[in-house]
């Protein structure tokens, strides 16, 4: 195991009836970083901006220096176009100064309709369970609870689309830095998708990579080595896309097949989901 992989992680806490508890807090966000993040979204979207959120390990207070990203997203008016521009190099440099140790800064956008019109959309799940509101309306209070189980295995459901996007990236990327970023992105996605397959039995939820791998290995020992390799590449990505693609295709296909088996077993209606 690479030296930088730490055996850390935690499951989201649960209510007495088993619903996921959002344990994020604004106290974990550096005020100057929060202010700059909101300023960028206001600059991009103006009066159509309704909310700004931070999700993931930073919002939960367990970010790992050199590994964790700063993941943010905006909620816009129903009729707005949720296309988020990329920050300039100058803006990224400024963000890095405000948040040393974080590896990437992610900016995304959705509309109020994406949040409120479907329980099975990715966005309400993120808001309700693992995001903190920096600015504007906090939609979490308007959303129903989520319970760990096969019906919330969004990462696994998304694997076929991620495999398609991965193939496109391999064809278009030439720079080493791009290949490294793609490696980190797809490996994190696979490790988290692998964990999703266990929720029908473990009845817990996490996005922490090491804990995702450890839990998966408990239930799927035959595939544990592939998941471990994906974990290693997620933590220490490189540009060897030939070796990586062999693992991605093999593990991605297996996750897809097992996801479809669980979908059939539990009678999950995929048409309800908005990934």
């Amino acid at each position: 195991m690479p030296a930088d992989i730490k055996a850390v992680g935690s499951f989201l806490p649960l209510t007495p009836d088993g619903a996921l508890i959002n344990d994020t807090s604004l106290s974990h966000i550096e005020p100057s970083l929060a202010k700059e993040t909101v300023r960028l979204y206001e600059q991009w979207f103006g009066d159509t901006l309704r909310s700004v959120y931070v999700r993931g390990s930073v919002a939960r207070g367990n970010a790992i220096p050199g590994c964790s990203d700063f993941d943010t997203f905006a909620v816009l008016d129903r009729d707005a176009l949720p296309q988020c521009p990329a920050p300039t190099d100058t803006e990224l440099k400024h963000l890095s100064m405000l948040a040393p140790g974080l590896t990437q800064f992610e900016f995304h956008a959705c509309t109020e309709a994406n949040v409120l019109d479907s329980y099975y959309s990715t966005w309400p799940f993120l808001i309700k369970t693992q995001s903190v509101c920096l600015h504007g309306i906090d939609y979490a209070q308007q959303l129903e609870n989520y319970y760990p189980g096969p019906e919330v295995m969004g990462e696994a459901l998304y694997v076929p689309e991620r495999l398609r996007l991965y193939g496109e990236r391999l064809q278009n990327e030439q720079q080493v830095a791009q290949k490294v970023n793609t490696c980190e992105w797809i490996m994190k996605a696979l490790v988290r998708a692998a964990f999703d397959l266990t929720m029908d039995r473990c009845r817990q939820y996490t996005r922490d990579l090491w804990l995702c791998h450890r839990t998966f290995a408990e239930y799927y020992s035959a595939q544990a080595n592939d998941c471990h390799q994906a974990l290693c590449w997620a933590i220490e990505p490189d540009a060897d896309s030939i070796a990586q693609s062999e693992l991605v295709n093999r593990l991605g296909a297996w996750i897809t097949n097992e996801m479809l088996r669980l979908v059939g077993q539990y009678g999950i209606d995929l048409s309800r989901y908005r990934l």
Side-chain angles (χ1 to χ4, degrees):
M1 179 180 291
D4 289 341
I5 296 182
K6 297 178 175 60
V8 297
S10 62
F11 293 109
L12 288 190
L14 303 174
T15 65
D17 70 340
L20 293 169
I21 296 174
N22 186 330
D23 63 353
T24 61
S25 172
L26 271 176
S27 65
H28 301 311
I29 314 297
E30 169 62 38
S32 58
L33 179 61
K35 183 178 180 180
E36 177 62 10
T37 301
V38 172
R39 186 194 70 80
L40 287 172
Y41 279 115
E42 289 179 328
Q43 171 184 300
W44 295 332
F45 297 112
D47 292 340
T48 67
L49 182 67
R50 290 291 166 263
S51 301
V52 177
Y53 287 91
V54 177
R55 70 179 180 92
S57 59
V58 173
R60 296 185 68 204
N62 57 10
I64 299 175
C67 177
S68 295
D69 302 332
F70 188 61
D71 294 319
T72 71
F73 62 94
V75 181
L76 311 178
D77 274 347
R78 284 180 172 267
D79 297 328
L81 187 63
Q83 291 185 351
C84 203
T88 66
D89 289 342
T90 299
E91 290 166 341
L92 287 174
K93 184 178 295 186
H94 182 46
L95 290 168
S96 296
M97 292 176 60
L98 297 174
L102 298 182
T103 59
Q104 295 187 61
F105 296 86
E106 299 286 341
F107 295 87
H108 303 279
C110 65
T111 68
E112 191 175 67
N114 298 140
V115 173
L116 297 179
D117 290 359
S118 175
Y119 175 82
Y120 294 97
S121 169
T122 299
W123 299 109
F125 179 72
L126 291 177
I127 289 173
K128 187 68 175 180
T129 65
Q130 54 205 275
S131 303
V132 63
C133 185
L134 293 185
H135 169 80
I137 303 167
D138 188 356
Y139 292 92
Q141 302 306 314
Q142 304 177 46
L143 301 172
E144 297 180 42
N145 285 333
Y146 288 89
Y147 297 80
E151 287 199 336
V152 297
M153 57 177 184
E155 292 289 340
L157 295 176
Y158 205 14
V159 165
E161 174 64 9
R162 286 209 167 107
L163 292 178
R164 184 188 68 78
L165 293 173
Y166 177 70
E168 290 182 357
R169 289 194 183 192
L170 289 186
Q171 290 181 348
N172 297 328
E173 291 173 350
Q174 303 297 325
Q175 301 298 321
V176 169
Q178 292 176 320
K179 293 181 178 180
V180 171
N181 287 339
T182 292
C183 173
E184 180 180 356
W185 163 73
I186 193 63
M187 297 304 170
K188 285 182 176 180
L190 289 177
V191 173
R192 287 167 175 153
F195 167 77
D196 273 8
L197 303 175
T198 73
M199 281 194 290
D200 64 324
R201 286 153 288 177
C202 76
R203 295 292 171 176
Q204 304 260 27
Y205 183 80
T206 185
R207 285 178 58 83
D208 295 335
L209 294 172
W210 178 81
L211 190 53
C212 283
H213 160 65
R214 191 196 74 179
T215 307
F216 175 77
E218 291 175 4
Y219 292 96
Y220 293 100
S221 58
Q223 289 74 34
N225 287 339
D226 276 354
C227 189
H228 181 265
Q229 180 59 68
L231 173 68
C232 293
W233 266 320
I235 301 302
E236 295 186 357
D238 61 44
D240 187 1
S241 55
I242 294 177
Q244 293 157 16
S245 63
E246 293 178 359
L247 175 72
V248 169
N249 291 331
R250 180 173 64 250
L251 183 58
W254 182 86
I255 290 173
T256 298
N257 289 334
E258 181 65 4
M259 175 270 291
L260 292 173
R261 186 188 70 79
L262 292 171
V263 164
Q265 177 180 338
Y266 291 99
I268 295 171
D269 182 0
L270 293 180
S271 68
R272 297 183 298 180
Y273 290 81
R274 303 291 183 269
L275 300 175

